[in-house]
Amino acid sequence: MDLPKRVIINEEGPREGFQIEKGPIKTADKIALVDALSGCGLCHIQVGSFVNAKHVPGWADAEAVFAGFTPREGIDYSAVWFNEAGLRRALAFKDKLALEGFISLSASEPFAIRNLNRDRAGQIEAMTKYVQLHRDAGLPIRKIIVMAAFGCNFAGDIAAGKVVETVEDALALARDAGVAVNNVTLADSMGWATPKRVATAIGAVRNRWPDLAVALHLHDTRGQGIACAYEGLRLGVTSFDSAVGGLGGCPFAGQPGAPGNIATEELALLCEEMGIATGLNLEALIEVARLAERIVGHGLPSAALRSGTLASFRRNAA
């Protein structure tokens, strides 16, 4: 098994977590979480979203959070937005943020209709305008995101062929816009991924586009997240999205109370025990996960949060 020597872990806990928590979460606590994560060795932290507060009330205070956190050198801080109004809000923080767009399409049309009120043609039309908006603003488009890449609560299983078709749509859109995209993230939006589905989808994409780098965005909705991450590592994936403490989840998945994204500290622990470098301070991450749990006021699903690292027990046993 030819495992990667090093992986990049992209932290999405603040954005993912605070969009789904019932709250309200204090602005100062959101800032404190971002600042604490900045001390864990991460190279990318997704801070929050510039979205309509009626739909995502957890990010009604986005401007205050982005103004309040303290950036550290060597970390790319990012945000999410979906339209011109969101982009304008993000541009106000261009000195603090790594601003770039993406091409995001759902492999499940029922999910896109429920989530975005758009069918396949509507998604492509909206993304075409989104890409042009970013080109006009001088911002890069660096990746494709395929939502519901492994299955959907409203459409059932998603065949690998549908994932390939969705990537084809995105690449055609990029090509028509004069944009070169070399990365695709397969997102398990509703927790349907299993190791077998991960292997099948990655294999299908790589067979069609051998030079396209594949990343994984995994949820732990049904307890399969870390197993799927292991399968990704086994297949040579070197970029993963995760959320400290297991924060997050999809607010449009129709499964309230389900666990969120794979926990950053659990993914880091897996990599550490397999000899794969992450650059992260695992013990610091676990402390931040405990902070996140105190902030949201309820237990988070991460087992590492409660059990700690193996290294600490090894020190005590020595």
Side-chain angles (χ1 to χ4, degrees):
M1 182 166 53
D2 190 16
L3 294 169
K5 302 296 184 185
R6 185 179 184 87
V7 299
I8 299 298
I9 296 178
N10 305 299
E11 174 59 46
E12 298 192 350
R15 196 272 300 176
E16 284 269 6
F18 298 137
Q19 76 173 2
I20 203 168
E21 289 293 329
K22 293 180 180 179
I25 306 295
K26 294 178 181 178
T27 299
D29 286 340
K30 296 177 183 178
I31 294 169
L33 183 63
V34 174
D35 286 342
L37 284 165
S38 295
C40 295
L42 292 155
C43 60
H44 175 227
I45 300 172
Q46 194 174 78
V47 176
S49 300
F50 293 106
V51 290
N52 190 323
K54 291 181 180 179
H55 300 306
V56 187
W59 279 109
D61 60 349
E63 274 78 4
V65 174
F66 281 92
F69 82 86
T70 302
R72 291 200 187 189
E73 188 175 352
I75 302 175
D76 284 340
Y77 298 90
S78 69
V80 170
W81 58 88
F82 299 104
N83 53 33
E84 184 175 1
L87 174 57
R88 285 200 304 269
R89 293 168 66 190
L91 285 169
F93 299 94
K94 61 184 179 181
D95 293 337
K96 297 180 80 171
L97 299 179
L99 296 176
E100 60 183 52
F102 50 80
I103 298 172
S104 178
L105 298 174
S106 175
S108 164
E109 191 168 48
F111 179 64
I113 292 170
R114 187 181 182 95
N115 189 5
L116 302 168
N117 196 29
R118 295 174 185 145
D119 60 11
R120 178 185 175 190
Q123 287 188 81
I124 293 171
E125 180 182 359
M127 275 292 114
T128 299
K129 294 177 181 176
Y130 178 89
V131 169
Q132 189 58 51
L133 180 68
H134 286 73
R135 296 207 71 192
D136 292 345
L139 299 181
I141 301 288
R142 299 197 188 280
K143 68 179 178 180
I144 293 164
I145 301 173
V146 179
M147 297 181 291
F150 305 103
C152 172
N153 292 350
F154 315 107
D157 294 310
I158 298 295
K162 177 59 71 173
V163 175
V164 169
E165 179 182 298
T166 306
V167 176
E168 284 178 335
D169 284 344
L171 288 172
L173 192 161
R175 186 169 56 251
D176 290 345
V179 173
V181 181
N182 300 309
N183 302 278
V184 58
T185 296
L186 302 182
D188 185 25
S189 308
M190 287 162 279
W192 280 64
T194 64
K196 182 178 179 180
R197 287 193 178 104
V198 167
T200 300
I202 290 176
V205 171
R206 285 179 171 168
N207 284 340
R208 180 70 175 80
W209 299 281
D211 296 328
L212 198 61
V214 178
L216 288 173
H217 176 103
L218 299 168
H219 287 208
D220 202 33
T221 312
R222 295 172 176 84
Q224 300 293 301
I226 288 297
C228 291
Y230 173 81
E231 182 66 6
L233 291 168
R234 192 185 68 80
L235 294 170
V237 173
T238 59
S239 180
F240 295 84
D241 299 337
S242 62
V244 66
L247 284 165
C250 178
F252 307 104
Q255 46 196 20
N261 296 50
I262 57 170
T264 305
E265 61 276 12
E266 292 188 341
L267 178 58
L269 175 61
L270 173 67
C271 291
E272 183 177 280
E273 291 299 317
M274 295 176 70
I276 300 170
T278 64
L280 304 186
N281 183 329
L282 180 53
E283 292 185 354
L285 267 174
I286 289 174
E287 288 305 313
V288 177
R290 291 170 179 155
L291 170 64
E293 193 170 65
R294 293 194 296 273
I295 287 172
V296 299
H298 62 80
L300 291 175
S302 168
L305 179 158
R306 288 179 289 280
S307 301
T309 68
L310 294 177
S312 62
F313 287 93
R314 290 189 181 109
R315 286 196 299 269
N316 292 334

